[in-house]
Amino acid sequence: MNQEDDGEPILEVVFYKTEAGNEPVREWLKSLSREDRKNIGEDIKTAQYGWPLGMPLIRKMERGLWEVRSTINTGIARVLFTVKGAMMILLHGFVKKSQKTPPNELETARRRLNNVEKV
């Protein structure tokens, strides 16, 4: 049992919801294998209980945007998130194919972040 399992979570994990009520990160996670979902879930839980964290698990991308860095069977997965109060809002998830985060993936997260900040 990990030490962080003993206490209360520092952040509440919330899925970003579109205006249509979809939860893109939840849908993306469902498309992955059970083992990959478990690995990503453990990493998100570590962030939830240990916030604030840094590398190698969490990397700040830019103002208000961080990534959870997970290793999965098919390579590397990233979940981009923001923190609002005591909420960790999962904005976007993808499997990384290259060294650099693809601009379109970052743009998707930024767009969703803007929607969250309007609320």
Side-chain angles (χ1 to χ4, degrees), residues 22-74:
N22 300 332
E23 294 174 324
V25 177
R26 188 189 301 268
E27 290 159 21
W28 170 72
L29 285 168
K30 285 179 179 173
S31 75
L32 301 173
S33 73
R34 188 170 176 206
E35 191 180 339
D36 288 349
R37 281 197 307 270
K38 185 178 179 300
N39 288 342
I40 294 167
E42 287 292 322
D43 289 340
I44 289 170
K45 185 178 176 189
T46 299
Q48 179 186 14
Y49 280 80
W51 185 258
L53 293 170
M55 294 287 277
L57 183 65
I58 304 292
R59 188 174 105 187
K60 185 170 178 127
M61 303 298 286
E62 54 193 51
R63 187 190 69 77
L65 200 57
W66 290 266
E67 67 177 5
V68 176
R69 305 156 56 89
S70 300
T71 303
I72 58 173
N73 289 333
T74 50

